[in-house]
Every structure is written in structure tokens, then in C-alpha cells.
Amino acid sequence: MMTPMIPPILDFATGKLGGAELVEKSTTLADLQGLFADPRAEAALSPDTPLYRVAMLPGNGGEGDLNMGVTHLEAGMIGNEFFMTRGHIHARAEQAEYYFGLCGRGLLLLQDMAGVCRLEQVFPGSVHHIPGHVAHRLVNTGETQLSALAVWPAIAGHDYRLMAERGFGLRVVAGKEGEPCVVSSEVSVSIT
Ligand code: PAN
Ligand code: ZN
């Protein structure tokens, strides 16, 4: 009898991907220079500080194919601002994506092209539909690594320039008790 193949394996409790050759990309503080609000706090940390890592299954990248990857975002802060991913919109902006929370706690920051922002809580089992034309960024508000699975069309691509120019309208910072607070230009609102 033909032996069924063992497919790649995702440990849903830890986000660890195995059983396949992975494509991995690590992002350090140096890669995100100027992204955080407090340049002095940023300068106080080593530029080599690892912020996040994305482990992807290799895809063929063709029309109709899907990419899947797990983002592991470290816990920590630059000043009072929680660690976050760079954030992007897709190069093919109409292409949507799903995120699934695996472990840790955080927020998904979404911003549409009119600049309207919203946040979704990310936790083990959370499911997030990111529509086309919506920029997205993960923020780790917890004390442990935040891991989330993402599935998106291979043709979507990443446009990092647009959001580098526009910036996200909200920042997530720690309040007096360490609780996550959302700061828009001048107003600060507790979300716990
Ligand atoms: C994710 C992101 C991942 C890293 O796989 O690429 O979380 O964030 P940045 O790409 O903004 O650095 C995704 O949204 N893919 O489309
Ligand atoms: Zn994306």
C-alpha cells in the first residue's frame, strides 16, 4: 500500500512549524529604525535586539497559490511603546489575509486607506480577517512571545513604503500599571 506522506506540522500551542524546510526572516531593532516614537529609548537598546521572526512554508509564489507563515513577536518595549511589527499594506492592495492567534496576547492594528484605525485583540484561537486595502501590524502587549499564523495570497506582495510615509494613526503604549493604552496624536485611552 502507498504510504501517505506526513505533511508539515504546526504546533498550535507554540506556533512552531516543522516537518518542512522553512523560509525564515528575522527583524531586529536596526531594521525598524525610527519606527518607534521615542528615539532616545531606541538608542539605549542594542540595534541587534531581535524583535520578530517569520517562519514560512516555501510556496511556489504563483498566481492562485497561498503563503502561510507564523510570526513570533517578542515581548518588550521601546520606552513605553510595545514591540510591534513594521506593518504594511499588500502591494496588490486588494488582496486580503487571515491571521490566527496561537500564543501570547496582543493587538492587531488595522488602518484603512482613509486613515481610519481599529484594533482587534489577538489571543490563542482568535481569528482575524484583514480585508483588502487595509494596512496591518501586530503589537505584543503581553509578557511572553506573541505568535500568530497568517495565510495570504502569494501574489499579494508587501508594500512597506506607503505606511512608512503615512504612518499608523495609533500607537499602543503601556499605562501606569503596564496596561495597554492606545495613543492617537494627543488623546490617550485605556483599553483594559
Ligand atoms: C505577515 C507579516 C509578518 C511581519 O506574514 O509579513 O507579521 O510583519 P511585516 O511584514 O509588516 O514586517 C503578513 O501580514 N503577510 O502578508
Ligand atoms: Zn500582510
Side-chain angles (χ1 to χ4, degrees):
M1 193 190 100
M2 194 181 74
T3 313
M5 75 165 276
I6 300 173
I9 298 164
L10 171 63
D11 181 340
F12 280 83
T14 63
K16 191 171 165 37
L17 263 178
E21 237 174 76
L22 304 176
V23 179
E24 297 215 55
K25 187 184 169 208
S26 294
T27 300
T28 63
L29 186 55
D31 297 317
L32 301 184
Q33 218 187 359
L35 198 78
F36 292 90
D38 183 344
R40 279 210 296 193
E42 186 183 316
L45 286 176
S46 162
D48 297 331
T49 305
L51 290 205
Y52 59 97
R53 180 171 64 85
V54 181
M56 278 178 68
L57 289 182
N60 64 25
E63 178 93 32
D65 197 16
L66 293 172
N67 285 339
M68 87 83 100
V70 179
T71 301
H72 301 282
L73 175 58
E74 300 297 332
M77 282 188 276
I78 310 290
N80 68 349
E81 191 172 11
F82 290 105
F83 281 4
M84 59 190 179
T85 58
R86 186 192 299 275
H88 62 269
I89 185 129
H90 293 150
R92 288 273 303 267
E94 79 287 358
Q95 300 288 313
E97 181 163 12
Y98 266 105
Y99 276 15
F100 306 88
L102 298 174
C103 59
R105 296 211 160 243
L107 295 167
L108 173 61
L109 173 56
L110 300 164
Q111 180 166 315
D112 71 16
M113 286 303 97
V116 178
C117 290
R118 64 195 176 83
L119 288 158
E120 292 183 1
Q121 293 190 36
V122 183
F123 50 87
S126 62
V127 176
H128 310 270
H129 177 249
I130 302 168
H133 302 282
V134 172
H136 39 287
R137 156 181 286 168
L138 281 170
V139 185
N140 188 348
T141 58
E143 284 166 11
T144 58
Q145 193 173 69
L146 174 70
S147 298
L149 167 66
V151 180
W152 71 99
I155 56 160
H158 295 106
D159 176 353
Y160 292 105
R161 218 185 49 192
L162 187 75
M163 294 315 290
E165 286 166 6
R166 291 189 183 183
F168 282 81
L170 296 180
R171 290 184 180 278
V172 186
V173 299
K176 283 202 181 78
E177 316 279 307
E179 78 285 7
C181 295
V182 177
V183 186
S184 78
S185 37
E186 279 138 280
V187 195
S188 160
V189 188
S190 173
I191 55 161
T192 51

